[in-house]
Amino acid sequence: MFEKVLIANRGEIALRINRACHDLGIKTVAVHSTADARAMNVRLADETVCIGPPPPRASYLNIPAILSAAAITGADAIHPGLGFLSENAEFARAVEEHGFVFIGPSPEHIRVMGDKVRAKAEAVRLGIPVVPGSPGALRDVASAQAAAHEIGYPVLLKASAGGGGRGMKLAHNDAELAQLLPLAQSEAMAGFGDDSVYLERYLARPRHIEVQLLGDGQGTVVHLGERDCSLQRSHQKILEETRSPALDDAIRERLTSTAVGAMEKFGYRSAGTIEFLYQDGEFFFIEMNTRLQVEHPISEMISGVDMVREQLRIAAGEPLGFGQRDIAFNGHAIECRINAERPDDFRPSPGRISEYHAPGGLGVRVDSALYQGYEVPPYYDSLISKLIVYDTTRERCLSRLRRALAEYVITGIETTIPLHQRIVENADFQAGKYDIHWLERFLAQRG
Ligand code: MV4
């Protein structure tokens, strides 16, 4: 096992990784920007290195500074966390070339899944159902229209280098397609430096369901169940739960075994997630995330597997050492993302936390680097805390969530806690009846 790990991230996820390292007796190095000198993950690390000024380009995305920090502290391995450099294949390769272990998948696997057209082709090869669409990048309007006729309108134009929903355009007929294709191509070029665009059948009311996977790169792959991430706005997830209220055991089994079979064939190493759209009993691959995700704790709660510990063990060359039959799924878990945002318009609300009291008790987990007196900096993602609640059934979990939200005190800034309190009281949500557009409708209704 490693003696010292450098954590190339900030905030709650850096703290989460710091905890897993300390649980395993591994020393940690926190790298931080000047804005994060007083952060809790920095305070709790064994060593710290300031890698630059607040803008991410100058610090958390500054590859030479991070590699230098690893060299001067004598770290064995680097955990990229999520966001920032976590899905940057060049970074993964540079880490390896400098003699450190990258705690994640192979650079090649990151690269393949980072290109959405290549990823989709790979999904087909791996036996995962994909949304019917154009076989590759569209050449011209005529071939796009021909593809659309085969699939049937409406069709969705997607940027190959996009992802996260950026650069998508909906076309209802030939005329719209002719108008939108050049627009999509030039926007893709401007936004991602690659003008490849492809099209797919448009699913009007799908759910976003993803399967959590762990592979050791030595032949063993397990899944940790699915997560329903349909509650989102502007492609930002707000609340996630597992199990999905939409799946029965038969479809869940098909979904998870398809994902595991694909990753066995792929030879995947580390934690990864395959995202699906699910509608009318059918599921379709949309993309794969080759990193730890924000919502990983709910999968940990129902499976009992510490995913970051497994990532560390796998990166150190240890085999997983357990199989699917050793994992027993129990109960229900929900994560609420608490953002430093104004509830009315979701604009960021950075500032000093004047009072802080986190909820607790059985089945309540708070992953957060907040503390009283902490100043939430304005430069980064607004996620400041994750409230994760677990209980034996979904109904009990909702009840516990309501209780935990009421206990949570964060003053001095505005947060999304009141939004979560409204969501748990909603009848559709309580019944598990929601799709990817539900939250935007809910917000529009009540202003
Ligand atoms: C779709 C879709 C409907 N039909 N593809 C958005 C993120 C990107 N990764 C895939 N996305 C979508 N792809 C087809 N063929 C609807 C979405 C979509 C979405 C997907 C998951 C979660 C939230 C979403 C919000 C809007 C649109």
Side-chain angles (χ1 to χ4, degrees), residues 222 322-328:
V222 298
F322 58 87
Q324 197 66 53
R325 273 166 304 171
D326 302 310
I327 303 169

PDB file of all heavy atoms in Angstrom, residues 222 322-328:
ATOM      1  N   VAL A 222     -17.282  -5.482 -10.252  1.00  0.00           N
ATOM      2  CA  VAL A 222     -18.553  -5.575  -9.532  1.00  0.00           C
ATOM      3  C   VAL A 222     -19.326  -4.271  -9.729  1.00  0.00           C
ATOM      4  O   VAL A 222     -18.748  -3.240 -10.061  1.00  0.00           O
ATOM      5  CB  VAL A 222     -18.359  -5.821  -8.008  1.00  0.00           C
ATOM      6  CG1 VAL A 222     -17.650  -7.143  -7.755  1.00  0.00           C
ATOM      7  CG2 VAL A 222     -17.609  -4.663  -7.353  1.00  0.00           C
ATOM      8  N   PHE A 322     -13.088  -9.452  -3.507  1.00  0.00           N
ATOM      9  CA  PHE A 322     -14.475  -9.896  -3.267  1.00  0.00           C
ATOM     10  C   PHE A 322     -15.220  -9.828  -4.580  1.00  0.00           C
ATOM     11  O   PHE A 322     -14.783  -9.154  -5.524  1.00  0.00           O
ATOM     12  CB  PHE A 322     -15.164  -9.047  -2.189  1.00  0.00           C
ATOM     13  CG  PHE A 322     -15.221  -7.564  -2.478  1.00  0.00           C
ATOM     14  CD1 PHE A 322     -16.270  -7.025  -3.219  1.00  0.00           C
ATOM     15  CD2 PHE A 322     -14.226  -6.707  -2.018  1.00  0.00           C
ATOM     16  CE1 PHE A 322     -16.326  -5.667  -3.486  1.00  0.00           C
ATOM     17  CE2 PHE A 322     -14.269  -5.336  -2.285  1.00  0.00           C
ATOM     18  CZ  PHE A 322     -15.325  -4.817  -3.017  1.00  0.00           C
ATOM     19  N   GLY A 323     -16.297 -10.570  -4.652  1.00  0.00           N
ATOM     20  CA  GLY A 323     -17.079 -10.610  -5.880  1.00  0.00           C
ATOM     21  C   GLY A 323     -18.492 -10.096  -5.648  1.00  0.00           C
ATOM     22  O   GLY A 323     -18.833  -9.666  -4.536  1.00  0.00           O
ATOM     23  N   GLN A 324     -19.295 -10.147  -6.699  1.00  0.00           N
ATOM     24  CA  GLN A 324     -20.659  -9.633  -6.612  1.00  0.00           C
ATOM     25  C   GLN A 324     -21.463 -10.326  -5.512  1.00  0.00           C
ATOM     26  O   GLN A 324     -22.248  -9.695  -4.818  1.00  0.00           O
ATOM     27  CB  GLN A 324     -21.365  -9.808  -7.968  1.00  0.00           C
ATOM     28  CG  GLN A 324     -22.617  -8.956  -8.103  1.00  0.00           C
ATOM     29  CD  GLN A 324     -22.284  -7.464  -8.112  1.00  0.00           C
ATOM     30  OE1 GLN A 324     -21.471  -6.988  -8.871  1.00  0.00           O
ATOM     31  NE2 GLN A 324     -22.911  -6.703  -7.231  1.00  0.00           N
ATOM     32  N   ARG A 325     -21.212 -11.638  -5.362  1.00  0.00           N
ATOM     33  CA  ARG A 325     -21.994 -12.387  -4.355  1.00  0.00           C
ATOM     34  C   ARG A 325     -21.691 -11.956  -2.926  1.00  0.00           C
ATOM     35  O   ARG A 325     -22.461 -12.215  -2.010  1.00  0.00           O
ATOM     36  CB  ARG A 325     -21.744 -13.896  -4.513  1.00  0.00           C
ATOM     37  CG  ARG A 325     -22.670 -14.559  -5.527  1.00  0.00           C
ATOM     38  CD  ARG A 325     -22.154 -15.937  -5.868  1.00  0.00           C
ATOM     39  NE  ARG A 325     -20.768 -15.828  -6.355  1.00  0.00           N
ATOM     40  CZ  ARG A 325     -19.964 -16.873  -6.570  1.00  0.00           C
ATOM     41  NH1 ARG A 325     -20.390 -18.096  -6.318  1.00  0.00           N
ATOM     42  NH2 ARG A 325     -18.744 -16.693  -7.037  1.00  0.00           N
ATOM     43  N   ASP A 326     -20.538 -11.296  -2.742  1.00  0.00           N
ATOM     44  CA  ASP A 326     -20.166 -10.848  -1.397  1.00  0.00           C
ATOM     45  C   ASP A 326     -20.808  -9.513  -1.035  1.00  0.00           C
ATOM     46  O   ASP A 326     -20.662  -9.039   0.098  1.00  0.00           O
ATOM     47  CB  ASP A 326     -18.639 -10.733  -1.295  1.00  0.00           C
ATOM     48  CG  ASP A 326     -17.956 -12.051  -1.596  1.00  0.00           C
ATOM     49  OD1 ASP A 326     -18.374 -13.057  -0.998  1.00  0.00           O
ATOM     50  OD2 ASP A 326     -17.050 -12.086  -2.454  1.00  0.00           O
ATOM     51  N   ILE A 327     -21.456  -8.884  -2.002  1.00  0.00           N
ATOM     52  CA  ILE A 327     -22.060  -7.578  -1.742  1.00  0.00           C
ATOM     53  C   ILE A 327     -23.557  -7.754  -1.518  1.00  0.00           C
ATOM     54  O   ILE A 327     -24.264  -8.240  -2.387  1.00  0.00           O
ATOM     55  CB  ILE A 327     -21.829  -6.607  -2.926  1.00  0.00           C
ATOM     56  CG1 ILE A 327     -20.331  -6.454  -3.201  1.00  0.00           C
ATOM     57  CG2 ILE A 327     -22.462  -5.249  -2.643  1.00  0.00           C
ATOM     58  CD1 ILE A 327     -20.015  -5.736  -4.504  1.00  0.00           C
ATOM     59  N   ALA A 328     -24.016  -7.352  -0.339  1.00  0.00           N
ATOM     60  CA  ALA A 328     -25.450  -7.418  -0.038  1.00  0.00           C
ATOM     61  C   ALA A 328     -26.001  -5.997  -0.032  1.00  0.00           C
ATOM     62  O   ALA A 328     -25.481  -5.130   0.674  1.00  0.00           O
ATOM     63  CB  ALA A 328     -25.658  -8.068   1.324  1.00  0.00           C
TER      64      ALA A 328
END
